[in-house]
């Protein structure tokens, strides 16, 4: 499960980019500022916001150590900042003076690449702050840049849809059309796909664009065998241009953000959709995973940055195959059932269940009659709670085995939503179920048990569209 744990709303205009270090989150905006937040409690640092740029700030990124932050702007500059005190270390002007759209540090922190609207790309020496190499793409402006994990080459993406590969001396190794209507973002997985003979390494590259697609590529490069870029697959889910994509640090997940206002999290191994997040009210422009925690940041033209936290156990379950799901339930031992009872605050029943040899298969077959007659549970309230928890477990297994993303399931009914609405607690529910809940439960949140600030329910059209798209591709 993915939980929205914090929303940052300090920027006065569209959020263009967000980036994590091991201890900080950086965001930048059309409002010309860069803001820094502590990951401990998401409070803004005393020296934030960082101000220098005279026009919109398009991109920001941390050096691998996290001690330096780079930002680039329409004003034609790329600025380096000391993250500890906010001091400006250097201002590097694009030779052409063109608006700088993207910047990225090399893995060894020695170089910084900056790409501009006129198609120029510059490699800066990040130690001396001097220009090292300069090149340009044939057509279009640069909108994306990513270094390979080993630092031997980097990739740029242009508004004409070309992926261009450069070595560390700015020699063009390869260029090909990747997205018909222009590339908006690209990112490498930090984990190699495999190691071959002669030191050959394969890396996974993701790209996204105005054609509403997210594409996966397999990349290899050695000085002996040369460079190779192979198209692997296209990930479905978005119905509008995709503006951002990013791999998780372990390479197990890929996230994308779109003009359709949604954020989709994919399992990179199966390429299935794990989660669809629909809290933003305008275009999603940026997304980033934290390097050392299960956190995701998403930024939008609604001027906010949402911070999401992943539940590792749920993610592992969501990646399971149907066979593994059966193992997860029917093949539970009696000890597994005891552990589950304790997790559900039903530890007083552990002895009864053990005495009756209730394993996973028996657990799923329990009824109100068997609880009363066979297990001799006298309390009606206790029997009702056990049945409710078992039904939740059955529904979870059923939804996972059918591949339904958890975000499409109503937290109240545990069924696929047909008419989702957003309540004032920020969660989405089936409209009829939530209306009944409010009338009977005196306006408490089903998810937090706190009083709802308002009884207003807003149609979640983005989520409804995502559910309909999923049904179209999964129903026979």
């Amino acid at each position: 499960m993915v939980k929205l744990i914090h929303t940052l709303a300090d920027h006065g205009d569209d959020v263009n980019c967000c980036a994590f270090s091991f201890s900080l989150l950086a965001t930048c905006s059309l409002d010309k500022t860069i803001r820094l937040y502590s990951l401990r409690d998401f409070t803004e640092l005393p020296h934030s916001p960082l101000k220098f740029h005279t026009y919109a700030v398009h991109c920001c990124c941390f050096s691998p150590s996290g001690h330096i932050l780079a930002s680039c702007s329409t004003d034609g500059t790329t600025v380096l900042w000391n993250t500890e005190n906010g001091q400006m270390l250097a201002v590097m002007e694009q030779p052409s003076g063109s608006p700088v759209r993207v910047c990225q540090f090399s893995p060894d922190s020695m170089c910084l690449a900056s790409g501009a609207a006129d198609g120029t790309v510059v490699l800066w020496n990040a130690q001396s702050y001097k220009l090292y190499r300069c090149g340009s793409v044939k057509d279009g402006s640069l909108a994306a840049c990513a270094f390979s994990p080993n630092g031997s080459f980097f990739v740029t993406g242009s508004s004409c849809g070309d992926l261009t590969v450069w070595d560390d001396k700015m020699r063009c190794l390869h260029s090909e059309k990747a997205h018909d209507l222009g590339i908006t973002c690209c990112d490498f997985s930090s984990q190699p796909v495999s190691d071959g003979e002669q030191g050959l390494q394969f890396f996974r590259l993701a790209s996204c664009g105005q054609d509403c697609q997210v594409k996966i590529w397999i990349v290899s490069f050695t000085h002996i065998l040369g460079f190779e870029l192979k198209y692997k697959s296209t990930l479905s889910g978005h119905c509008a241009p995709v503006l951002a994509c990013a791999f998780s640090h372990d390479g197990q997940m890929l996230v994308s953000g779109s003009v359709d206002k949604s954020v989709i999290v994919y399992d990179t191994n199966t390429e299935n959709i794990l989660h669809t997040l629909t809290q933003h009210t305008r275009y999603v422009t940026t997304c980033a995973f934290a390097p050392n925690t299960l956190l995701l940041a998403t930024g939008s033209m609604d001027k906010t940055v949402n911070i999401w936290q992943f539940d590792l156990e749920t993610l592992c379950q969501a990646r399971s195959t149907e066979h593994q799901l059966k193992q997860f339930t029917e093949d539970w031992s009696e000890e597994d059932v005891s552990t589950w009872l304790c997790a559900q605050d039903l530890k007083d029943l552990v002895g009864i269940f053990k005495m009756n040899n209730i394993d996973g298969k028996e657990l799923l077959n329990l009824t109100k009659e068997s609880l009363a007659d066979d297990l001799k549970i006298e309390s009606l309230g206790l029997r009702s709670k056990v049945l409710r928890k078992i039904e939740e477990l059955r529904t979870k297994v059923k939804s996972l085995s059918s591949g339904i993303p958890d975000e499409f399931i109503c937290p109240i009914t545990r069924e696929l939503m047909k008419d989702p609405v957003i309540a004032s607690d920020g969660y989405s529910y089936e409209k009829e179920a939530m209306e009944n809940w409010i009338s009977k439960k005196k306006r408490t949140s089903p998810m937090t048990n706190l009083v709802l600030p308002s009884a207003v329910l807003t149609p979640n059209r983005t989520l409804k569209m995502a559910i309909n798209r999923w049904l179209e591709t999964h129903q026979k």
Side-chain angles (χ1 to χ4, degrees):
M1 184 177 178
V2 183
K3 181 180 180 182
L4 179 62
I5 61 171
H6 206 89
T7 297
L8 304 171
D10 298 311
H11 282 296
D13 213 326
D14 301 359
V15 176
N16 286 331
C17 186
C18 55
F20 282 101
S21 71
F22 286 98
S23 60
L24 301 176
L25 170 68
T27 64
C28 63
S29 166
L30 283 182
D31 66 10
K32 310 174 190 178
T33 68
I34 306 101
R35 293 183 180 271
L36 290 172
Y37 301 88
S38 168
L39 294 190
R40 287 195 301 272
D41 52 8
F42 300 106
T43 55
E44 192 165 6
L45 299 190
H47 49 272
S48 177
L50 307 180
K51 296 181 179 180
F52 170 81
H53 293 293
T54 55
Y55 291 98
V57 185
H58 293 289
C59 183
C60 59
C61 63
F62 285 98
S63 64
S65 68
H67 295 148
I68 300 175
L69 178 74
S71 62
C72 60
S73 166
T74 301
D75 62 18
T77 67
T78 302
V79 178
L80 298 183
W81 309 84
N82 183 321
T83 57
E84 294 181 0
N85 55 25
Q87 178 183 350
M88 193 164 54
L89 301 175
V91 178
M92 300 176 293
E93 298 184 3
Q94 201 77 2
S96 61
S98 179
V100 186
R101 301 295 188 189
V102 64
C103 57
Q104 194 68 235
F105 277 99
S106 62
D108 61 3
S109 299
M110 296 302 293
C111 294
L112 176 76
S114 64
D118 64 354
T120 59
V121 55
V122 175
L123 268 185
W124 302 92
N125 185 313
Q127 313 302 310
S128 66
Y129 315 137
K130 293 181 179 180
L131 188 149
Y132 171 60
R133 292 280 194 277
C134 186
S136 64
V137 295
K138 293 180 180 179
D139 298 297
S141 61
L142 286 181
C145 179
F147 275 89
S148 66
N150 61 6
S152 60
F153 62 93
F154 68 98
V155 175
T156 58
S158 76
S159 60
C160 287
D162 294 332
L163 278 176
T164 304
V165 186
W166 313 81
D167 68 8
D168 53 6
K169 293 182 172 54
M170 283 297 297
R171 293 176 296 203
C172 180
L173 301 175
H174 182 84
S175 184
E176 75 172 70
K177 182 73 71 174
H179 294 267
D180 288 339
L181 304 176
I183 294 171
T184 53
C185 189
C186 63
D187 189 38
F188 275 100
S189 170
S190 62
Q191 304 301 315
V193 176
S194 63
D195 289 319
E197 297 178 357
Q198 298 178 337
L200 186 61
Q201 285 190 311
F202 299 88
F203 295 103
R204 196 183 272 120
L205 171 72
S207 64
C208 58
Q210 299 287 349
D211 57 4
C212 313
Q213 295 182 339
V214 179
K215 293 185 177 181
I216 304 297
W217 311 80
I218 301 298
V219 184
S220 64
F221 173 69
T222 65
H223 293 288
I224 299 174
L225 300 177
F227 176 87
E228 188 173 31
L229 175 69
K230 286 185 178 180
Y231 165 79
K232 181 179 181 290
S233 57
T234 297
L235 306 183
S236 61
H238 290 295
C239 60
V242 186
L243 303 182
C245 62
F247 281 100
S248 61
H249 184 64
D250 62 4
Q252 296 299 306
M253 292 181 288
L254 176 72
V255 64
S256 58
S258 169
V259 169
D260 63 16
K261 308 175 190 175
S262 74
V263 175
I264 296 180
V265 182
Y266 301 91
D267 182 327
T268 56
N269 296 310
T270 65
E271 299 187 351
N272 292 331
I273 294 176
L274 294 175
H275 301 282
T276 301
L277 313 176
T278 58
Q279 266 70 10
H280 284 296
T281 58
R282 295 193 66 196
Y283 301 173
V284 180
T285 54
T286 179
C287 46
F289 281 101
N292 56 338
T293 57
L294 290 172
L295 292 179
L296 168 69
T298 60
S300 167
M301 290 175 66
D302 62 14
K303 307 177 187 179
T304 69
V305 176
N306 284 334
I307 312 298
W308 308 84
Q309 187 169 48
F310 287 84
D311 182 286
L312 180 59
E313 182 179 355
T314 303
L315 283 175
C316 291
Q317 293 172 11
R319 295 192 190 106
S320 297
T321 63
E322 186 172 356
H323 174 67
Q324 291 170 324
L325 285 167
K326 288 180 179 177
Q327 288 184 326
F328 178 70
T329 51
E330 294 180 3
D331 292 343
W332 267 358
S333 67
E334 292 177 22
E335 288 300 323
D336 292 329
V337 172
S338 298
T339 301
W340 176 80
L341 286 170
C342 293
Q344 308 306 315
D345 197 24
L346 294 168
K347 60 182 178 180
D348 291 341
L349 298 180
V350 169
I352 296 174
F353 275 61
K354 280 189 174 183
M355 188 183 305
N356 288 273
N357 305 117
I358 304 297
D359 57 13
K361 189 173 183 179
E362 292 285 343
L363 177 69
L364 292 177
N365 290 325
L366 289 175
T367 64
K368 61 181 180 181
E369 289 80 15
S370 60
L371 288 173
D373 300 337
D374 300 334
L375 272 62
K376 309 298 183 184
I377 299 176
E378 297 180 358
S379 169
L380 176 61
L382 196 53
R383 291 200 303 269
S384 298
K385 182 176 181 179
V386 172
L387 285 174
R388 186 171 69 252
K389 295 297 183 181
I390 292 173
E391 186 56 36
E392 288 177 3
L393 183 60
R394 289 183 187 131
T395 305
K396 183 69 174 177
V397 172
K398 182 179 179 182
S399 67
L400 287 173
S401 61
S402 62
I404 302 175
D406 197 54
E407 286 71 31
F408 295 175
I409 298 173
C410 173
I412 300 172
T413 66
R414 299 305 302 168
E415 295 177 353
L416 184 68
M417 288 184 278
K418 298 178 180 177
D419 190 11
V421 294
I422 303 175
S424 57
D425 61 356
Y427 292 93
S428 293
Y429 306 90
E430 178 63 35
K431 181 180 179 182
E432 183 179 355
M434 192 57 188
E435 288 175 341
N436 291 337
W437 179 279
I438 290 174
S439 65
K440 295 177 181 178
K441 301 289 182 177
K442 298 182 180 180
R443 285 177 48 177
T444 58
S445 165
M447 297 297 286
T448 66
N449 206 33
L450 299 175
V451 176
L452 292 168
S454 168
V456 174
L457 301 177
T458 305
N460 193 335
R461 295 186 178 88
T462 303
L463 180 57
K464 188 172 184 178
M465 288 172 59
I467 292 172
N468 289 337
R469 290 197 303 272
W470 184 88
L471 286 171
E472 289 173 3
T473 57
H474 287 78
Q475 282 189 338
K476 294 181 180 180

